[in-house]
Amino acid sequence: MSDHAVLQMNNIRMRFGSHYALKGVTLSVRRGEVFGLLGQNGSGKSTMIKVLAGFYQPEEGSEVILWGQKMPLPLNQMDIKTRGVAFVHQHLGLVPSLTVVENMRVTALGQKNPWLVSWKKEAKRISRLFAEFDLEIDPLSTIAELAPVERAFVAIVRAFEDLRASNAGYGGEGILVLDEPTPFLPADDVKRLFSLIRSIVKTGASVVIVTHDIDEVRDITDRVAVLRDGELVDIIDTKTAERQAILDTIVGSRIDAFVKDRNADARVAAIAVRGVRVETGPAFDLDIAEGETLGVTGLIGSGFAALPYILYGARKGAGRITLGGLTVDLEKITPARAQMMGIAFLPGDRLGAAGFGSLSVTDNITLPVLGEHLIAFGLDRSSMTRKAARLSEIYDVRPPRPEMMLGSLSGGNQQKVLLAKWLQMKPKLLMLDEPTQGVDFGARQQIFKALDRATAEGTSILCASTDNEQLEQICDRIIIFSKGRPVIELKGDEITRKAITEACFYSGSHHAEAAE
């Protein structure tokens, strides 16, 4: 790594209405380093990236210097790209209805008649490109058909390709900017991504990465800038910094992890699932007690992730579910019927399936309870706004402005809004798919406390996740899946990150050997 700065961002100020998202932030990125941006949700990290990408025009006095040259503001998006800066944004920037190869070629399609493109040749070229990174993704599949992890890799590989194709006049080095690239990725794929990042920086390129995961920051970055409420708090050498010291710097004071008081007493089953099938696995039964938090996990492809979607009617399945004295065949259940039974579901795709980024916080929060706000000539918007404001205060949504679009909030604050939307219903069963992906440490603890309050009031929770730290913190019981069925159960003091990890890999390798 060289001390030579390839990027300088000086006195960056950005305001939305009366709210300052950035308050004069100054930082520089060196040649051949991995530079991290760290902070709580709403601290200004993604705003900083969007200034660099040309999405936002910062206030007068802000300055961006790239490769030693002062750039006119707002930055021109195409100019930034040709100068060797490639981006993977928080929501990946992929078009679900287009194929992988079309998404990979989306920039070129604006410059060339698509009728002149040989899609067969392009598909072969993209296949070779994926093979370089040991990825098995069909270039002719639509993005909607891919798993979240595969979508993330498509976006990342596309950015790598842009970096390689950038103007060689800037030393062939380039700057790769990754805004929250890892929430969709399991641990093994995060390691593969980090391996790619390290190979890139060996060529002299620089990487800017935004993440909430302290362990990831310590693993991959050389230095990290910590932002808090739009201000630069510190720039830390992550190779020598202690984990707790970084956490304390982010929050501004010491913050302790939520610790669940697990109830070891026998509980009465409130939800009974019988004869359910996930993926191609055998039928199995499952019980969830009232007020229990049950975690389901396993290796990618083990089938656990499909369970909440099947129980909610978002994906076809077999079996039946009994809740509140009512039994429904899973082949006939629909999301509307599930909600009538008292089942709520928060999918992992926050803006694609769980909420509407183009609607306000008010509209998102009150969507399930619009009947409460009906008046003679439509909806009582003032009562809707008051309710959204009250729930935003309870769940500490920042900024506390119900009129803001959900998509303009940080990931953690979006999740708080969506959690408030469902918990106000006091559901009998709340199902969660990766509930804290892309959520900072402090916001995670707030979410965990909110879930704990819900279980104390009788709500049962089913949490599907690959985040073992999260499962350890919130679960009373954990079931590990393999080959589409439950194989190991952990409860009480057995629930530790190490035990969950070992159980996942043991179940995967054991059943693979059994199949042979």
Side-chain angles (χ1 to χ4, degrees):
M1 180 179 66
S2 165
D3 288 337
H4 173 64
V6 296
L7 170 67
Q8 293 174 256
M9 300 182 73
N10 300 326
N11 192 36
I12 304 298
R13 299 177 65 84
M14 186 73 212
R15 182 173 61 180
F16 299 100
S18 60
H19 172 71
Y20 268 98
L22 294 171
K23 306 172 184 176
V25 176
T26 294
L27 55 82
S28 63
V29 180
R30 300 167 182 166
R31 179 184 183 274
E33 80 166 331
V34 180
F35 185 86
L37 281 178
L38 197 59
Q40 296 190 81
N41 291 116
S43 62
K45 307 181 303 298
S46 290
T47 303
M48 197 77 174
I49 296 302
K50 288 175 180 176
V51 168
L52 178 60
F55 290 152
Y56 293 153
Q57 178 174 355
E59 291 196 338
E60 187 175 350
S62 302
E63 183 180 64
V64 175
I65 300 174
L66 183 62
W67 313 114
Q69 178 181 351
K70 184 176 179 179
M71 305 294 292
L73 298 175
L75 294 168
N76 180 284
Q77 294 180 30
M78 287 305 299
D79 191 27
I80 287 292
K81 181 176 180 179
T82 58
R83 287 171 181 263
V85 184
F87 294 85
V88 175
H89 292 291
Q90 191 170 15
H91 302 301
L92 303 182
L94 301 172
V95 182
S97 60
L98 296 182
T99 64
V100 171
V101 66
E102 287 168 336
N103 273 274
M104 295 290 290
R105 288 277 299 178
V106 68
T107 303
L109 288 177
Q111 303 168 346
K112 185 176 180 180
N113 189 335
W115 296 106
L116 301 178
V117 175
S118 172
W119 293 108
K120 186 175 181 179
K121 289 182 180 178
E122 281 298 303
K124 288 182 178 179
R125 185 182 68 82
I126 298 301
S127 289
R128 291 193 297 271
L129 181 62
F130 286 153
E132 290 184 42
F133 303 125
D134 194 27
L135 299 176
E136 296 181 0
I137 299 175
D138 182 0
L140 299 180
S141 296
T142 64
I143 294 298
E145 293 173 317
L146 301 182
V149 60
E150 294 175 316
R151 296 175 197 173
F153 272 120
V154 169
I156 291 166
V157 172
R158 183 175 65 179
F160 280 138
E161 187 178 39
D162 288 345
L163 195 65
R164 289 174 173 176
S166 63
N167 195 321
Y170 298 95
E173 300 166 351
I175 302 170
L176 177 64
V177 183
L178 304 176
D179 187 4
E180 300 282 7
T182 61
F184 297 105
L185 304 182
D188 283 350
D189 287 329
V190 170
K191 291 177 182 177
R192 291 167 64 191
L193 171 59
F194 285 0
S195 178
L196 287 173
I197 291 174
R198 292 186 181 99
S199 67
I200 289 293
V201 298
K202 284 180 181 177
T203 68
S206 305
V207 173
V208 177
I209 183 168
V210 180
T211 180
H212 292 106
D213 193 301
I214 305 299
D215 294 324
E216 288 180 5
V217 163
R218 297 178 68 208
D219 184 13
I220 192 62
T221 63
D222 299 294
R223 294 185 302 148
V224 62
V226 178
L227 302 183
R228 190 192 311 140
D229 296 327
E231 297 182 284
L232 178 67
V233 178
D234 198 2
I235 293 180
I236 300 171
D237 184 340
T238 49
K239 301 303 181 187
T240 57
E242 295 294 329
R243 187 179 194 275
Q244 189 62 49
I246 297 175
L247 274 174
D248 295 346
T249 303
I250 293 170
V251 179
S253 60
R254 186 176 180 89
I255 183 167
D256 294 320
F258 168 78
V259 179
K260 185 174 183 63
D261 182 15
R262 295 190 179 94
N263 186 350
D265 297 335
R267 300 188 183 194
V268 177
I271 299 115
V273 178
R274 297 291 180 264
V276 68
R277 294 177 184 270
V278 297
E279 309 299 341
T280 58
F284 62 88
D285 299 338
L286 194 68
D287 291 314
I288 309 175
E290 180 179 340
E292 178 184 31
T293 299
L294 173 64
V296 291
T297 190
L299 301 179
I300 298 300
S302 61
F304 76 91
L307 183 59
Y309 292 86
I310 291 172
L311 298 183
Y312 194 64
R315 187 177 300 178
K316 290 297 180 184
R320 61 190 185 278
I321 181 171
T322 300
L323 175 61
L326 181 64
T327 299
V328 178
D329 287 340
L330 294 175
E331 292 179 351
K332 298 178 181 178
I333 198 168
T334 63
R337 192 168 186 183
Q339 289 178 34
M340 290 177 62
M341 293 176 67
I343 301 174
F345 179 37
L346 186 51
D349 187 356
R350 196 170 292 139
L351 295 183
F356 297 91
S358 59
L359 295 182
S360 68
V361 169
T362 294
D363 289 339
N364 275 277
I365 281 184
T366 57
L367 190 60
V369 292
L370 286 179
E372 299 176 6
H373 303 281
L374 287 175
I375 53 177
F377 301 102
L379 292 170
D380 185 346
R381 300 294 305 186
S382 61
S383 73
M384 291 169 63
T385 300
R386 286 195 299 272
K387 178 155 207 171
R390 186 170 67 254
L391 288 172
S392 293
E393 181 179 359
I394 291 171
Y395 289 90
D396 194 27
V397 177
R398 301 181 187 180
R401 294 171 54 194
E403 74 278 6
M404 288 185 67
M405 297 300 104
L406 181 67
S408 66
L409 300 182
S410 64
N413 285 297
Q414 290 172 10
Q415 195 73 340
K416 291 178 187 177
V417 169
L418 297 172
L419 198 61
K421 164 184 152 181
W422 288 120
L423 286 181
Q424 69 177 316
M425 305 286 291
K426 298 189 182 301
K428 294 183 179 70
L429 173 62
L430 173 63
M431 299 189 296
L432 306 167
D433 177 18
E434 300 291 2
T436 56
Q437 60 185 12
V439 176
D440 69 71
F441 180 82
R444 283 167 67 105
Q445 312 317 307
Q446 291 178 313
I447 288 172
F448 295 163
K449 290 176 183 177
L451 294 175
D452 194 53
R453 290 195 300 270
T455 57
E457 294 175 1
T459 294
S460 302
I461 293 176
L462 175 67
C463 178
S465 179
T466 56
D467 186 335
N468 294 344
E469 181 176 1
Q470 169 185 264
L471 293 171
E472 178 187 29
Q473 284 188 257
I474 69 172
C475 291
D476 297 292
R477 187 164 53 104
I478 294 174
I479 294 176
I480 287 85
F481 276 66
S482 180
K483 301 293 184 181
R485 67 187 181 94
V487 292
I488 298 175
E489 180 179 279
L490 302 174
K491 55 187 177 181
D493 293 340
E494 298 171 339
I495 298 176
T496 66
R497 263 178 291 177
K498 182 180 179 182
I500 299 167
T501 301
E502 289 177 348
C504 287
F505 281 96
Y506 171 78
S507 64
S509 60
H510 175 74
H511 285 275
E513 290 171 4
E516 293 176 359

